Structures are given as structure tokens and as C-alpha cells.
């Protein structure tokens, strides 16, 4: 029941203020479950990724996607993610 209440409140607050739900999902999961913060972050990222994919497919099927820009963003994200992971790994050793 507590998890459902926090879920509803998170949805209402994020919808009312127009802020990302991911910002509120992690604290809600931590307050209502016994999962570690890494698992809460992963759960939040999975849900946000699922919503983003659904939205992207909807826009794509509607013909509202500039594929050149989309490809540039995906490539930039992949390159940034690869380099960011290397930097994070190096910094975690210090």
C-alpha cells in the first residue's frame, strides 16, 4: 500500500510541476522498499528508458522525426557514454 501511495504521489507531483519522474522515483523507492540505491537508480532508468522508447516510436510512426538529428544524438550519446564510463572507472580507482 505504501509503495502504491508513493507511486501515485510521485506521478501527481511530477505531472503537476512538469519535472522528470526519475528525479522523484529513486527517493520514493528508497523510502518504500529495502532495495539498494544502485537498484533504485537502475529501476528508475529502466522505466524512464521505456517511456522514452515508447514516445520515440510514436513520433517516428507519426513521421515527426528528423533522422539525421536523431542519428547524431544517438552517436553522440554512445560516444559520450563510452568515454564517460572510462573516466568513471579511472576516477573510482583513485
Amino acid at each position: 500500500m505504501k509503495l502504491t501511495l508513493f507511486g501515485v504521489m510521485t506521478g501527481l507531483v511530477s505531472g503537476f510541476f512538469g519535472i522528470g519522474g526519475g528525479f522523484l522515483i529513486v527517493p520514493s523507492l528508497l523510502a518504500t522498499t529495502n532495495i539498494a540505491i544502485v537498484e533504485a537508480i537502475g529501476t528508475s532508468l529502466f522505466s524512464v528508458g521505456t517511456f522514452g522508447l515508447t514516445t520515440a516510436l510514436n513520433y517516428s510512426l507519426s513521421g515527426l522525426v528528423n533522422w539525421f538529428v536523431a542519428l547524431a544524438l544517438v552517436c553522440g550519446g554512445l560516444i559520450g557514454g563510452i568515454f564517460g564510463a572510462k573516466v568513471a572507472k579511472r576516477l573510482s580507482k583513485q
Side-chain angles (χ1 to χ4, degrees), residues 6-91:
F6 269 73
V8 169
M9 291 306 297
T10 297
L12 288 172
V13 170
S14 67
F16 182 76
F17 291 109
I19 58 174
F23 172 73
L24 299 170
I25 292 172
V26 173
S28 295
L29 286 172
L30 293 175
T32 57
T33 65
N34 262 350
I35 63 176
I37 190 166
V38 172
E39 292 172 333
I41 292 169
T43 303
S44 174
L45 288 174
F46 179 78
S47 64
V48 169
T50 303
F51 303 145
L53 180 61
T54 304
T55 303
L57 287 173
N58 188 26
Y59 276 101
S60 170
L61 294 174
S62 299
L64 299 172
V65 175
N66 181 328
W67 290 105
F68 177 76
V69 173
L71 183 62
L73 289 171
V74 168
C75 289
L78 287 173
I79 293 168
I82 290 168
F83 284 115
K86 289 181 181 183
V87 170
K89 192 173 187 180
R90 188 173 305 135
L91 289 175

